[in-house]
Amino acid sequence: MDNRLVVGVSGRPAARAALQWAFNYARPRRLEIELVHVVDATFGTTPAGFLHAAREQAELLLAREAEEARSVAPDLTFRTTVLEGSPTGALTDWAVGAQLLVVGSHALGRFRDYVFSTQAAQIAAYAGGSVVVVPEREEQRGTGVVVGVDGSEASLAAVTFAADQADRLGERLTALYCWSAPVPWTEDRAMIDWPMVPDEADRLVLAEAVAGLAERYPDLKLDLRLDLGLPVDALVSAATGARLLVVGSHGRHGFARFWLGSVSHVLVLTMPCPVAVIRVAVTETGPVSEPV
């Protein structure tokens, strides 16, 4: 993994919030910030000279953004890159190997349980590495860091990332495991006395996810929560007004990455606060969490 933190720059207000978030993340880690703009070259037919003119405009945009960024954060190193191609594919391909990819977005929300995709959600779904999506409305800083736990390798990587962030920011960390009772399929099954409280196995998943955090971060304030309900609803409720929500995402390929039922995808659309989608890099020797 290289020393870059890649920030997608579109020229829209949402990108400014993402850049500010990147400043705060990169500074203690001494990361280089790379501002990247993608000239959309996916149109079937473009007028002569369009790409050349669009690229010149993009280079001017990035030059202005970099100049302003250096004035705000003179202690950081910036560079700029203009790409051509798909705004989603080119950006995520370029960010491979970076510590993080950071993009801005606006919350779309859900309407009658139907979820509609946005570019930021597509980027978070398609990226091979970890992505942070920062909402445009992030004018006021929230409090607390929330992380979703499900016992998977991806969620353990998310806990590591969330704990590091919470400790550096001096924020309380809330680790949330969502438990739900089986849904009866028939009226007969509805008469079965399903347990309505989590059992010891559920509690063990949560305890194992945070094992060792007290020793590694002795000053970290930690809350453990077992919630009854759907993971998306519980996480949105817990993270509304938070400084950061962190979730793990299992690696997917091709169109499966755009599956709208995934928890991380829906969270990026609803945006209760900045959302970090942490992926586990799979190697020949096994999974490796990233970034650290």
Side-chain angles (χ1 to χ4, degrees):
M1 187 177 297
D2 57 43
N3 201 44
R4 293 177 302 149
L5 192 159
V6 176
V7 181
V9 176
S10 63
R12 298 171 183 172
R16 295 298 180 90
L19 190 56
Q20 183 60 56
W21 194 97
F23 293 165
N24 297 331
Y25 185 86
R27 184 170 285 114
R29 298 166 177 82
R30 298 184 178 180
L31 300 178
E32 176 185 82
I33 296 180
E34 183 177 17
L35 309 181
V36 179
H37 179 86
V38 181
V39 175
D40 192 344
T42 58
F43 299 104
T45 302
T46 57
F50 169 80
L51 289 179
H52 178 73
R55 188 178 186 92
E56 285 186 338
Q57 291 178 3
E59 289 170 351
L60 289 173
L61 166 67
L62 288 186
R64 290 195 301 268
E65 293 288 351
E67 182 179 2
E68 182 175 343
R70 292 186 184 100
S71 68
V72 174
D75 54 324
L76 295 175
T77 300
F78 297 89
R79 63 177 165 129
T80 62
T81 300
V82 176
L83 304 174
E84 296 177 11
S86 161
T88 297
L91 180 61
T92 53
D93 288 347
W94 188 261
V96 170
Q99 296 279 329
L100 278 179
L101 170 58
V102 183
V103 295
S105 183
H106 61 277
L108 185 62
R110 290 188 292 169
F111 176 72
R112 294 185 180 179
D113 295 330
Y114 290 95
V115 182
F116 300 92
S117 187
T118 66
Q119 188 173 77
Q122 290 179 1
I123 289 170
Y126 188 77
S130 299
V131 179
V132 174
V133 184
V134 182
E136 180 179 348
R137 66 177 184 274
E138 188 65 10
E139 299 93 358
Q140 297 180 347
R141 181 176 294 173
T143 58
V145 175
V146 178
V147 60
V149 172
D150 64 9
S152 67
E153 290 287 345
S155 81
L156 294 179
V159 169
T160 299
F161 181 90
D164 181 73
Q165 278 292 95
D167 184 66
R168 287 179 183 271
L169 296 171
E171 297 283 357
R172 181 181 297 273
L173 176 63
T174 299
L176 187 152
Y177 175 79
C178 197
W179 173 89
S180 58
V183 178
W185 289 356
T186 67
E187 185 175 350
D188 291 338
R189 290 191 63 184
M191 301 304 294
I192 298 176
D193 186 20
W194 293 108
M196 293 304 294
V197 294
D199 58 22
E200 287 306 311
D202 297 310
R203 300 181 192 280
L204 183 61
V205 170
L206 188 55
E208 288 182 341
V210 300
L213 291 186
E215 291 75 17
R216 186 173 180 182
Y217 305 104
D219 297 326
L220 179 65
K221 296 178 181 179
L222 178 63
D223 289 337
L224 304 183
R225 284 182 52 178
L226 279 165
D227 277 15
L228 175 64
L230 297 175
V232 168
D233 293 338
L235 287 168
V236 168
S237 177
T240 298
R243 192 159 181 178
L244 181 67
L245 169 60
V246 186
V247 291
S249 179
H250 305 280
R252 292 198 174 104
H253 301 282
F255 290 109
R257 281 177 169 157
F258 293 95
W259 178 48
L260 296 182
S262 68
V263 171
S264 59
H265 194 102
V266 177
L267 290 172
V268 170
L269 290 169
T270 54
M271 294 298 290
C273 66
V275 177
V277 180
I278 305 302
R279 283 190 171 81
V280 176
V282 179
T283 67
E284 293 181 0
T285 58
V288 178
S289 61
E290 60 173 6
V292 178

